[in-house]
Amino acid sequence: MKVICAGMIKTGTKSMTEALRILGFSVYDYMENLEYLGDDWLKLLEKGGGSEDFRRMYENVDAVADVPPAHFWDEIHKAFPESKIILTMRDTEEEWIKSVDKQMKAVGIPILFFIRFFSPTGRKMMYYSSLVANAVFGHDSKFSFFKPPSFNNFLMKMAYRRHNLHVIQ
């Protein structure tokens, strides 16, 4: 592990992931964590864990970005103390929450509801996403068959602020 991208969702994590890949790094972002380490993350999010889990999970990975790793950056750093930490942020909390809202509306299209509820993989992804949202934002997201997931924007902004201050500190 060489780089831990500690920026929250919607702070340029995909751009950072692509930049690191262009530089030749192997990077796990949201989808790689779900696809390759989903069971490990489910265990961590349901039962807990620690630095030893992250050392095992990421022993052959150069960089991580997006959630859930961005939220657990400090535990990952304990497992890989030589790694560099990059914090990406939006200029304002309002810009950030507006971008999050836009993404939540995008995942609310009807075909995705069908996939999430009638596909075993879709249900697992929805459960995983719900656990990640709870860990990162401190409250349950409301997933529904008929509308996009809803979040408490006030609590999300507070979580965003606390996260960024913790990384900066």
Side-chain angles (χ1 to χ4, degrees), residues 129-143:
S129 296
S130 180
L131 288 177
V132 169
N134 190 33
V136 172
F137 300 116
H139 66 93
D140 290 325
S141 55
K142 306 290 189 277
F143 286 90

Side-chain angles (χ1 to χ4, degrees), residues 18-137:
E18 185 60 22
L20 290 168
R21 286 183 177 147
I22 289 170
L23 292 171
F25 290 87
S26 65
V27 185
Y28 277 26
D29 75 354
Y30 188 85
M31 288 310 293
E32 285 82 10
N33 278 286
L34 171 62
E35 185 174 341
Y36 303 128
L37 299 174
D39 291 337
D40 292 302
W41 275 108
L42 287 175
K43 177 189 159 277
L44 286 166
L45 294 168
E46 292 171 334
K47 298 177 180 144
S51 299
E52 63 282 349
D53 293 299
F54 293 119
R55 176 161 289 289
R56 177 186 46 77
M57 290 163 61
Y58 295 118
E59 65 184 339
N60 296 313
V61 177
D62 295 326
V64 291
D66 210 337
V67 294
H71 183 69
F72 294 91
W73 68 271
D74 50 352
E75 283 296 317
I76 297 171
H77 192 251
K78 286 177 190 172
F80 302 97
E82 299 299 317
S83 59
K84 305 298 181 209
I85 299 167
I86 298 173
L87 175 62
T88 53
M89 297 172 23
R90 290 274 178 157
D91 288 337
T92 68
E93 290 174 6
E94 291 306 318
E95 286 178 21
W96 177 75
I97 203 70
K98 186 177 179 180
S99 183
V100 171
D101 283 339
K102 183 179 175 183
Q103 181 173 340
M104 291 305 107
K105 287 179 181 144
V107 300
I109 61 174
I111 189 67
L112 291 179
F113 292 128
F114 181 81
I115 291 169
R116 284 195 297 257
F117 283 91
F118 296 108
S119 156
T121 303
R123 282 193 303 277
K124 183 177 181 179
M125 183 174 182
M126 187 173 71
Y127 179 65
Y128 173 83
S129 296
S130 180
L131 288 177
V132 169
N134 190 33
V136 172
F137 300 116

